[in-house]
């Protein structure tokens, strides 16, 4: 039971990483956040397209849920009540966490090392807990790599430069308005 609970904890680490990983860039560096969110939102959109075009039930449907301790029972109930039953291919758990992990490697190396073990545990847990097949994870890797390429392309594009210039100009105008009010 403790092994299954450990994997359930890794599975739920996903939600910390989604929120805290993006929130850090939002609060500390809006330019990096804007670059990150282009690839991240594309990843989610394409992942949901995959769910619609290739609906599939996970192995938990055929094999039943894993048994474990209190965390597995609680987590399994939460997951079961929030799935639509066809959200397997590609694994957005794999794609989104790999995307954020590589983005952290590029921009926040110390955080990369801090989250590496729980993220690898997350990847293993998606199969161990019977929420995904191995092929779902492979598709998630492909999705993440494609969106990371898109993110790099966008970061070096003229569009990104124009967006940044516009944001800088708006910031200057807001500062001027703020000064004139005071």
């Amino acid at each position: 039971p403790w092994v299954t609970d450990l994997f359930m904890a890794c599975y739920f680490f996903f939600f910390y990483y989604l929120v805290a990983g993006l929130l850090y860039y939002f609060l500390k560096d809006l330019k990096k956040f804007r670059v990150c969110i282009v690839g991240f939102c594309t990843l989610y959109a394409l992942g949901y397209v995959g769910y619609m075009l290739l609906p599939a039930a996970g192995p938990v449907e055929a094999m039943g849920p894993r048994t474990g301790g209190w965390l597995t029972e609680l987590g399994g109930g939460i997951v079961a009540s929030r799935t639509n039953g066809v959200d397997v291919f590609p694994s957005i758990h794999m794609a989104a966490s790999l995307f954020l992990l590589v983005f952290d490697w590029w921009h926040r190396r110390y955080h990369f090392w801090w989250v590496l073990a729980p993220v690898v545990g997350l990847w293993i847990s998606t199969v161990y807990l019977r929420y995904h097949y191995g092929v779902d994870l492979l598709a998630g890797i492909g999705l993440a790599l494609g969106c990371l390429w898109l993110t790099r392309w966008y970061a070096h594009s003229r569009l990104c430069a124009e967006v940044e210039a516009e944001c800088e100009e708006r910031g200057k105008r807001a500062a001027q308005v703020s000064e004139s009010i005071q």
Side-chain angles (χ1 to χ4, degrees), residues 110-121:
Y110 68 91
H111 192 254
F112 167 88
W113 290 113
W114 185 81
V115 298
L116 181 60
V119 167
V120 170

Side-chain angles (χ1 to χ4, degrees), residues 22-33:
L22 292 172
L23 189 61
Y24 172 84
Y25 292 108
F26 178 75
L27 295 174
K28 297 292 186 181
D29 190 336
L30 276 174
K31 181 178 180 180
K32 285 181 186 160
F33 174 76

Side-chain angles (χ1 to χ4, degrees), residues 132-156:
H132 285 287
Y133 298 99
V135 69
D136 304 333
L137 273 63
L138 294 175
I141 291 169
L143 178 58
L145 294 177
C147 290
L148 286 161
W149 174 86
L150 173 71
T151 300
R152 283 280 186 162
W153 173 84
Y154 174 74
H156 296 96

Side-chain angles (χ1 to χ4, degrees), residues 10-177:
C10 289
Y11 187 80
F12 281 123
F13 182 79
F14 177 72
F15 301 103
Y16 157 79
Y17 202 20
L18 288 185
V19 174
L22 292 172
L23 189 61
Y24 172 84
Y25 292 108
F26 178 75
L27 295 174
K28 297 292 186 181
D29 190 336
L30 276 174
K31 181 178 180 180
K32 285 181 186 160
F33 174 76
R34 285 190 288 268
V35 168
C36 179
I37 209 71
V38 165
F40 192 78
C41 288
T42 301
L43 181 147
Y44 258 86
L46 292 175
Y48 285 128
V49 167
Y51 292 170
M52 289 185 293
L53 294 178
L54 300 165
V60 73
E61 287 297 316
M63 301 170 74
R66 287 271 185 191
T67 57
W70 70 271
L71 186 58
T72 302
E73 299 308 313
L74 175 69
I78 291 170
V79 171
S81 68
R82 285 168 176 73
T83 182
N84 63 11
V86 293
D87 54 353
V88 181
F89 186 89
S91 170
I92 293 179
H93 281 84
M94 169 60 86
S97 59
L98 179 59
F99 180 93
L100 290 172
L101 194 65
V102 172
F103 201 82
D104 276 348
W105 176 262
W106 291 344
H107 301 288
R108 192 164 62 138
R109 194 75 47 101
Y110 68 91
H111 192 254
F112 167 88
W113 290 113
W114 185 81
V115 298
L116 181 60
V119 167
V120 170
L122 161 67
W123 298 338
I124 296 167
S125 75
T126 63
V127 174
Y128 178 81
L129 295 171
R130 302 177 179 159
Y131 297 135
H132 285 287
Y133 298 99
V135 69
D136 304 333
L137 273 63
L138 294 175
I141 291 169
L143 178 58
L145 294 177
C147 290
L148 286 161
W149 174 86
L150 173 71
T151 300
R152 283 280 186 162
W153 173 84
Y154 174 74
H156 296 96
S157 71
R158 187 174 71 215
L159 175 60
C160 183
E162 290 170 359
V163 167
E164 291 306 318
E166 177 64 26
C167 289
E168 191 173 309
E169 182 60 34
R170 285 184 185 181
K172 288 178 184 176
R173 284 191 301 238
Q176 289 171 345
V177 168

